[in-house]
Amino acid sequence: MSTPISERKLANAIRVLSFDAVQKANSGHPGAPMGMADIAEVLWRKFLKHNPSNPNWHNRDRFVLSNGHGSMLIYSLLHLTGYDVSIDDLKSFRQLHSKTPGHPELGYTPGVETTTGPLGQGIANAVGFAIAEKTLAAQFNREGHNIIDHHTYAFLGDGCLMEGISHEVASLAGTLGLGKLVFFYDDNGISIDGEVEGWFTDDTEKRFESYGWQVLKVDGHDADAITKATEQAIAETSKPSLIICKTIIGVGSPNKQGKASSHGAPLGDDEIALTRDELAWKHAPFELADEIYEAWDAKAKGEALEKNWEADFEAYKKAYPELAAELLRRLEGELPTDFEQQAKEYIQQCQEQGEDVASRKASFNAINTFQPLLPELMGGSADLAGSNLTLFKDAKGIEKDADGNYIYYGVREFGMTAIANGIAIHGGFIPYVATFLMFMEYARNAVRMGALMKQRVIHVYTHDSIGLGEDGPTHQPVEQLTSLRTTPNLHTWRPCDTTESATAWAEALKAKNNPSALIFSRQNLPHQQRDSEQVANIAKGGYVLAKEKSELQAIIIATGSEVGLAMNAYNTLSEQGVGVRVVSMPCAEVFTAQDSDYRESVLPSNIRARVAVEAAHVDYWFKFVGLDGKVIGMTTYGESAPAGDLFKEFGITEEAVVEAVNSLV
């Protein structure tokens, strides 16, 4: 009988693969993978429920490496346990088009659950996973049928805890009692600049206890202690757990362990040779003994776990066929088959009713129409539901001991948005989150990450311009629309009335591979008349709202609240005999993606007299009007005054549009 391989030797396999790959790339972070290898060995070999043969098995545990700079840790784990991550993939670490990019990236590597680049957002995504698991289980599990039943584990470091988002999401996780959420904190006391005691002296234990977490402390290199702490964390079902693991960064490196020099640079060939001796590791770079692979291989166990779950799900399907079908639909991210038709009918109804309301109220009406059709729609607002108008009729708050479909996020814009990314990635829900457009700035990086990960998250931003009035320049967005519109893979909709608002919501709900930002006004907006073709063309992002009454000479492009202003200018200009059309462009990104024939039909290239009007920064619109065109908008911050006074003060008026058009024709 062969002698069992020690847990330390199995952990050392992670260490050597990690520092070898970093050395070959001449780039990366070897210290964290080396320091957390013992924790990873315990979690992945003893506790993690996953199937390397099917990384997308619905009931798998989720694992997040929030300190994603230590990415060779997860790549080594995926390789060792049997995922489709080969030794050649490890050798291609940080190279173009490899499965092993510098930070874990969703969609690049089988087994990577989320993109973790900016520190702290990984743990926010993990909180989203845990909320999704808990809520989905409450909605679909039945007595004797725990179809949704998995844990979320996250590794994090000092940097994650220094980022403010960690406070936002850990506080909410404790309040919600997410008992299947377990964090492992790599407490090594080192960051890039050196020993963190010079700038990070928080009492992390007391901090998390105050949030309502179970906090455990262990030696991060003692496998038995890590095992017992993990068992204790799993046993605590009423609150999340933080396991503080005291570790040595770069452990095993004789001259660099415990030092910042092992954090973000290769160890160097000489130090690697010494480290191999220290670890008693006899193999050449990227070579492992068969017995190491055999001890790590998780395929058979994972396939058995999934097979058992499939048998349970078959029993569930027989007992609850409608629930089972609905669960699968939602997990696959598919909308009900009749949704598109019902959405079209509602949009037409909005056009026929022709209400003059604020677009935030039009958004509220759309939510109340679509939510009963889509039980997967999970709402939330950063303490502004009464102003955002996001609390739909049958909203039920998610609480510690109750399921629901609405999250009261509190004043946590950044955490809210990153949590929503996690909810979307988990599956089973379409999350929307809301705040004032100005406070998008707090959430900006999480909005970007959702776009990068191609997640269907809907961002509702109200109070969209100087039109919000007396709150003044601190609350009046100017440059935010440009920031959103220039974000790749994000669709930014700024509708002008109820019909455009309903269309924006419908298109955002249908967009499986990108997030959407829906921008709504505080002030009432006039309804616009359209025929059926114009209503249908709203979904193309831009369309001719008002056709020229004589030979076309000029085009006015407008969005949102300024469409009404543009229409007033159109009437005046038409009376003057100017051949002018109005193009409403609620979503410039979608319009730009249309075929050239359609774009030409809306914005004929031979018409150079173009004026854009929007109560936001002017620079974005020169791409549509050209350098010879004119843009009516903002070039400064706003002021505190009633909305009507502000539009006059900053020259965003019908008279200004008429004058601009006449100056060009």
Side-chain angles (χ1 to χ4, degrees), residues 282-610:
K282 306 300 183 183
H283 303 288
F286 300 104
E287 288 186 7
L288 299 176
D290 290 343
E291 62 179 2
I292 295 287
Y293 281 117
E294 290 170 5
W296 268 106
D297 187 25
K299 280 187 175 180
K301 181 180 177 182
E303 289 168 0
L305 285 168
E306 183 172 359
K307 186 176 181 180
N308 290 339
W309 180 82
E310 287 176 346
D312 292 340
F313 190 70
E314 284 300 314
Y316 178 74
K317 284 169 64 176
K318 290 179 181 178
Y320 304 98
E322 293 182 1
L323 273 179
E326 176 71 358
L327 175 59
L328 288 177
R329 177 190 71 78
R330 287 174 52 173
L331 288 173
E332 295 301 322
E334 299 296 336
L335 299 180
T337 54
D338 61 346
F339 174 78
E340 185 140 11
Q341 181 59 37
Q342 295 201 55
K344 285 181 180 178
E345 292 173 1
Y346 174 65
I347 292 166
Q348 186 58 41
Q349 178 185 328
C350 289
Q351 183 61 35
E352 292 170 358
Q353 291 178 342
E355 290 184 284
D356 293 352
V357 298
S359 56
R360 63 171 174 165
K361 181 65 186 323
S363 167
F364 177 71
N365 294 339
I367 295 171
N368 276 286
T369 298
F370 292 140
Q371 197 282 328
L373 307 177
L374 302 171
E376 62 264 41
L377 194 59
M378 179 184 283
S381 177
D383 202 49
L384 290 169
S387 295
N388 297 141
L389 301 185
T390 50
L391 194 62
F392 52 89
K393 179 182 177 182
D394 294 322
K396 180 182 178 183
I398 293 173
E399 300 174 1
K400 190 170 187 177
D401 299 316
D403 67 300
N405 52 18
Y406 192 90
I407 301 174
Y408 291 91
Y409 281 103
V411 187
R412 300 182 177 100
E413 293 89 354
F414 191 7
M416 168 183 74
T417 308
I419 286 172
N421 287 340
I423 292 171
I425 296 166
H426 179 279
F429 296 98
I430 302 174
Y432 72 81
V433 292
T435 187
F436 290 175
L437 178 55
M438 187 65 246
F439 303 148
M440 177 279 296
E441 294 290 353
Y442 283 126
R444 179 73 186 89
N445 200 268
V447 174
R448 179 181 187 271
M449 295 300 286
L452 192 154
M453 292 189 286
K454 304 177 182 178
Q455 294 305 304
R456 178 166 44 186
V457 178
I458 300 172
H459 307 282
V460 176
Y461 296 129
T462 67
H463 297 61
D464 67 346
S465 72
I466 58 172
L468 73 89
E470 292 84 348
D471 279 339
T474 61
H475 283 51
Q476 292 167 6
V478 172
E479 71 276 26
Q480 285 65 40
L481 277 167
T482 296
S483 177
L484 291 168
R485 286 174 176 143
T486 55
T487 301
N489 201 44
L490 174 69
H491 290 174
T492 301
W493 292 83
R494 188 173 184 245
C496 75
D497 64 3
T498 58
T499 308
E500 286 193 0
S501 296
T503 302
W505 261 106
E507 293 304 304
L509 289 165
K510 291 189 290 183
K512 286 188 69 172
N513 298 311
N514 64 268
S516 301
L518 310 185
I519 315 298
F520 299 117
S521 73
R522 178 190 184 190
Q523 69 272 31
N524 284 348
L525 305 181
H527 178 75
Q528 302 299 330
Q529 294 301 314
R530 302 174 185 85
D531 60 28
S532 58
E533 182 181 3
Q534 289 171 311
V535 171
N537 283 341
I538 295 171
K540 295 180 179 179
Y543 63 102
V544 179
L545 175 63
K547 298 177 182 178
E548 57 278 10
K549 295 182 179 179
S550 57
E551 184 180 353
L552 181 60
Q553 297 172 275
I555 301 171
I556 303 171
I557 305 170
T559 79
S561 52
E562 287 66 66
V563 169
L565 186 156
M567 287 298 295
N568 292 338
Y570 164 84
N571 291 331
T572 299
L573 288 161
S574 296
E575 289 174 1
Q576 294 175 357
V578 178
V580 63
R581 71 168 51 169
V582 173
V583 170
S584 177
M585 196 173 290
C587 187
E589 306 83 57
V590 170
F591 175 75
T592 303
Q594 302 303 311
D595 63 61
S596 58
D597 287 346
Y598 179 76
R599 297 197 308 270
E600 179 69 15
S601 73
V602 176
L603 297 175
S605 54
N606 65 319
I607 304 299
R608 309 302 296 171
R610 299 183 184 186

